[in-house]
Amino acid sequence: MRPVGPVGRASGRAVDVRSMRPYADYRDDTLTTFTESSGDAYARFRLRIAELEESLSWVRRILGGWHPQVVPGCATDAPWDSGTAPAHGDAVGVVEAPRGLLAYSLELDPESGRITRLGVATPSQRNWMVVPATMANNNILQDFPIIDASFALSVAGWDG
């Protein structure tokens, strides 16, 4: 079981897609990956507070240099910027969503240009597997609502 996103980082896993595969305005020199080691609900809370403070500093920095005609972090060299999608092929997209690593893969039919296969790997799918282990550490049933809320999981497993 390897949790992703804030749940994983609160357990000591310094995994953040934004630093592994930088996109938009994320670069190694601008992104801080916070971690906690205890992996409990309080660690997830502390981690989210640190990430919120970091996000607010990003917003202040971006707005400080914002000009209406320039979109900060906009990737102008993205392959689909021309307004037309490719007619065929495979594609994979990986981002750091609020709950963690979110990945999509799709396959397009070369003749019709329609999507023939779509795969989605959501952070909730990964992190739901960790929840039972958190209850096994002498936690009582009354702790479950706090533990459950600290994971911030999507019950449907759909984070997209």
Side-chain angles (χ1 to χ4, degrees), residues 1-146:
M1 291 183 280
R2 294 189 175 163
V4 296
V7 174
R9 290 190 292 276
S11 300
R13 296 191 72 227
V15 176
D16 189 322
V17 175
R18 297 169 295 182
S19 61
M20 295 167 51
R21 297 181 54 164
Y23 56 92
D25 199 30
Y26 297 115
R27 297 181 310 275
D28 288 339
D29 63 332
T30 59
L31 181 67
T32 302
T33 301
F34 298 96
T35 59
E36 291 280 339
S37 59
S38 62
D40 59 6
Y42 188 51
R44 290 186 286 279
F45 171 75
R46 288 191 313 266
L47 182 94
R48 284 191 174 97
I49 293 297
E51 289 186 346
L52 174 63
E53 290 172 349
E54 179 77 0
S55 295
L56 291 173
S57 79
W58 272 67
V59 168
R60 285 190 289 273
R61 181 175 56 84
I62 290 169
L63 289 178
W66 182 72
H67 301 285
Q69 65 273 24
V70 178
V71 179
C74 180
T76 56
D77 58 348
W80 292 8
D81 274 357
S82 64
T84 59
H88 66 282
D90 300 334
V92 174
V94 180
V95 297
E96 184 72 20
R99 291 184 180 101
L101 186 147
L102 174 63
Y104 282 84
S105 68
L106 62 88
E107 182 179 296
L108 297 175
D109 181 285
E111 293 181 22
S112 68
R114 292 185 178 175
I115 297 174
T116 57
R117 186 170 299 186
L118 174 68
V120 182
T122 71
S124 287
Q125 289 171 323
R126 292 283 296 267
N127 291 340
W128 267 114
M129 294 185 276
V130 182
V131 174
T134 63
M135 292 302 297
N137 296 328
N138 296 322
N139 290 307
I140 57 176
L141 188 58
Q142 293 90 324
D143 292 337
F144 179 74
I146 295 170

